[in-house]
Amino acid sequence: MKLSNLGEFGLIHAIQQLSSKRSPGTIIGIGDDAAVLKIGPSKLLLATTDMLIEDVHFDLSYTDFYSLGWKSASINLSDVAAMGGLPRFCLTSLALPVHIPVKAVMDFYRGFNALLRIHKTVLVGGDTCSSTSGLVISVTVLGEAKKRTVISRAGAKKGDRIFVTGTLGDSGAGMELLKAGIRENKRGTRDEGRGTKNRSRESGGRTKDDNSELRTPYSELIMRHLRPVPRVEWGRRIALSGCASSMIDVSDGLSSDLLHLCEESGTGALLHGDRIPFSPALLRSADQLRKPPLEYALSGGEDYELLFTVPSARMKTLEALRIPVTEIGTITTGKAMLQVSETGSKIPLRPTGYNHFKVKKD
Ligand code: ADP
Ligand code: MG
């Protein structure tokens, strides 16, 4: 069988079946945002790892190294946030093509450490080697949580209300704008000054205040793609309050991530497409983008917002947190369905988010 037939998540499922089942210390193994391991009577260790591969996850023609470092840390911290945990330690491995300048690597770590500092997380090790193809980044984050408050993907029940923090779709739209800029530069019809592959490699590591190349009307969307903000604080407060029955971060796209949550919880869902929150920046840019905002939210991925469920009885607890959240659906016992508009019919929710072995149609 080909990987494209099995898909990324089918493959992970097959690996899960082949691997040893729970040891006494494993509270949650393969299948959630982070592994949950028992290290004390009520203390849990959270462990999560993610790889970023050049030309799969990022393109050096539109990503500077500071942002790449920031994002590499951010996507892992987001998985700890999705468990309601506190990130503590981090290990980073790099496979570097020899032509990458030392300054670019230093800039990567400036961005990386800037995000770690915000979340009081410390880099404690890693590995460095050469790569004969592209740049490969692997980051592992270790965090902590209490048994009483950790939130898995698996606890949603029929009738629970589905919420998402912040807004969705910005990152996918930002990536499209970046790609469009590159395409137009290549045709020579427009130069937004976002640089060429070689130039970006040399000039990586803009600081937060040095983003002149990104000051376009679309900079908000682009920044959400290049420097996502992990919702660590919100995840923690949601967990400590005890209001949520399940939680996941939106990394692949709302459709796929809600389906992951439903699969682990053994439930269905009704998702209201007309209630999904969009940023003013996305709505303002809608005319210039190829797809409607809903499609970026469902399929774009990399928003790193938190998607979680709350039983009706705990709504007051959620409201008291005063976190910017939007109710977008309900957990059901049937299939996962999408209702695009208030009066529209319901259609099955398809996993249109990112899947590494999916054959691309466009
Ligand atoms: P996320 O998007 O939250 O990072 P993934 O979709 O990458 O989650 O992974 C889902 C689950 O599968 C996680 O528990 C992860 O640790 C596990 N997983 C992914 N790939 C592998 C692998 N090659 N071997 C073992 N576990 C894996
Ligand atoms: Mg995740």
Side-chain angles (χ1 to χ4, degrees):
M1 189 193 275
K2 288 181 184 159
L3 284 174
S4 57
N5 293 120
L6 196 55
E8 179 190 350
F9 304 105
L11 181 66
I12 293 175
H13 193 68
I15 294 170
Q16 195 174 9
Q17 298 303 310
L18 273 181
S19 309
S20 60
K21 299 285 175 259
R22 294 182 165 195
S23 71
T26 311
I27 311 283
I28 298 174
I30 296 173
D32 218 303
D33 292 294
V36 181
L37 312 165
K38 192 169 175 190
I39 51 166
S42 76
K43 214 169 201 187
L44 303 176
L45 175 70
L46 304 178
T48 180
T49 190
D50 269 301
M51 286 214 284
L52 291 99
I53 315 286
E54 184 176 354
D55 294 334
V56 175
H57 297 93
F58 60 90
D59 185 329
L60 289 176
S61 58
Y62 58 69
T63 306
D64 61 276
F65 280 89
Y66 184 98
S67 296
L68 189 57
W70 173 286
K71 185 165 181 173
S72 303
S74 190
I75 64 176
N76 279 275
L77 261 57
S78 177
D79 278 324
V80 173
M83 309 300 295
L86 191 66
R88 295 288 310 279
F89 305 105
C90 173
L91 297 132
T92 313
S93 300
L94 296 180
L96 296 161
V98 287
H99 60 77
I100 292 209
V102 172
K103 179 179 183 306
V105 182
M106 296 302 108
D107 287 338
F108 175 92
Y109 278 98
R110 281 189 192 101
F112 192 87
N113 288 327
L115 188 86
L116 290 194
R117 261 196 306 279
I118 293 170
H119 297 285
K120 299 188 172 58
T121 303
V122 189
L123 179 62
V124 293
D127 194 20
T128 307
C129 52
S130 62
S131 167
T132 51
S133 51
L135 170 61
V136 178
I137 302 155
S138 170
V139 179
T140 300
V141 169
L142 304 173
E144 64 177 72
K146 289 214 166 76
K147 201 170 176 185
R148 212 170 32 80
T149 58
V150 74
I151 310 175
S152 78
R153 294 178 180 180
K157 297 267 180 330
K158 183 189 174 198
D160 287 359
R161 295 154 75 155
I162 305 171
F163 287 86
V164 69
T165 59
T167 59
L168 295 178
D170 290 351
S171 177
M175 184 172 75
E176 187 183 298
L177 291 170
L178 287 166
K179 281 187 173 169
I182 299 302
R183 273 203 301 277
E184 288 178 37
N185 282 343
K186 277 182 185 160
R187 284 206 307 269
T189 52
R190 190 176 81 179
D191 186 357
E192 299 242 294
R194 292 195 197 106
T196 65
K197 202 158 203 153
N198 287 337
R199 192 173 141 223
S200 281
R201 277 206 169 110
E202 305 300 332
S203 66
R206 284 168 218 119
T207 64
K208 262 190 208 157
D209 303 323
D210 180 20
N211 271 309
S212 47
E213 289 190 23
L214 296 173
R215 274 189 214 119
T216 71
Y218 310 123
S219 60
E220 254 179 85
L221 302 178
I222 288 170
M223 285 306 277
R224 277 210 68 183
H225 181 71
L226 295 180
R227 295 199 201 157
V229 175
R231 304 305 193 187
V232 176
E233 189 61 39
W234 290 348
R236 193 109 185 102
R237 287 173 56 208
I238 289 167
L240 293 176
S241 78
C243 69
S245 50
S246 70
M247 188 150 71
I248 185 172
D249 66 328
V250 183
S251 56
D252 295 328
L254 176 62
S255 62
S256 299
D257 291 314
L258 178 57
L259 286 164
H260 291 321
L261 188 145
C262 287
E263 194 184 328
E264 292 301 319
S265 294
T267 65
L270 176 61
L271 177 63
H272 293 283
D274 58 340
R275 296 193 199 158
I276 293 168
F278 302 122
S279 69
L282 181 57
L283 294 171
R284 268 203 312 273
S285 310
D287 290 348
Q288 282 77 50
L289 292 163
R290 279 195 309 145
K291 299 180 217 154
L294 179 63
E295 271 202 52
Y296 293 107
L298 292 172
S299 318
E302 299 202 294
D303 285 312
Y304 299 103
E305 295 293 350
L306 297 173
L307 176 69
F308 61 103
T309 55
V310 178
S312 290
R314 293 191 222 145
M315 278 302 296
K316 286 232 152 51
T317 313
L318 172 65
E319 282 158 15
L321 293 177
R322 299 189 167 276
I323 292 171
V325 296
T326 307
E327 186 171 354
I328 57 171
T330 316
I331 294 292
T332 64
T333 47
K335 282 201 163 108
M337 305 295 283
L338 170 67
Q339 186 167 11
V340 179
S341 66
E342 189 82 49
T343 51
S345 54
K346 296 169 193 163
I347 53 170
L349 183 67
R350 300 256 164 258
T352 52
Y354 198 78
N355 181 322
H356 275 278
F357 305 116
K358 191 171 66 178
V359 181
K360 290 196 175 66
K361 290 197 185 88
D362 54 354

